[in-house]
Amino acid sequence: MICDRLKILLDELNISQRQFAIKINLDPGYFSRIVQGKVNPPDRILLLIENVFNVSKDWLENGQGEIFSNHGISLAKKQVLESIDSLNDEQVNAVSSFIKYLTESSKL
């Protein structure tokens, strides 16, 4: 069932139901009812989950294949980008300098 796969996804992402719901602009109470299996999520919510968290459609809907889609940006890169959003300008500059250092040193 989708509700069981959502529980697995929450564990994989190490994220609370509330945080998950907020990231897809969904009422946390409504999302809780989905996770409990009381409500079947409409297709638009499944599509949001697939796109926002890079989840495989086959896995989410049928439990087949890998959890995360190989299309688009990787989950690790997505998490890094989301983390950067919470930094101030000085911290972003420091991260940028570190990334520049890493990319230059890998060319050697």
Side-chain angles (χ1 to χ4, degrees):
M1 294 182 67
I2 289 178
C3 62
D4 296 325
R5 288 186 288 280
L6 287 173
K7 291 173 189 172
I8 293 169
L9 182 58
L10 290 168
D11 285 341
E12 283 290 318
L13 295 170
N14 194 27
I15 191 172
S16 72
Q17 287 184 22
R18 179 174 176 71
Q19 292 169 320
F20 189 96
I22 289 170
K23 284 188 181 270
I24 58 172
N25 296 317
L26 193 63
D27 175 70
Y30 181 66
F31 183 69
S32 176
R33 292 192 301 277
I34 292 172
V35 172
Q36 293 170 13
K38 295 179 180 177
V39 175
N40 285 326
D43 289 340
R44 69 174 188 81
I45 291 176
L46 295 178
L47 187 60
L48 277 170
I49 293 169
E50 292 163 14
N51 289 326
V52 171
F53 295 101
N54 202 32
V55 174
S56 163
K57 178 178 181 165
D58 285 338
W59 180 82
L60 185 59
E61 295 180 3
N62 307 311
Q64 298 175 352
E66 297 294 320
I67 295 175
F68 298 104
S69 173
N70 292 328
H71 307 296
I73 191 169
S74 71
L75 179 63
K77 288 178 182 177
K78 186 174 185 101
Q79 288 173 333
V80 168
L81 293 173
E82 288 174 356
S83 297
I84 288 173
D85 281 342
S86 66
L87 302 177
N88 63 37
D89 288 343
E90 185 177 329
Q91 293 168 321
V92 169
N93 288 335
V95 170
S96 178
S97 295
F98 181 67
I99 291 171
K100 192 178 290 185
Y101 166 77
L102 289 176
T103 56
E104 289 173 0
S105 66
S106 69
K107 293 178 185 176
L108 300 177

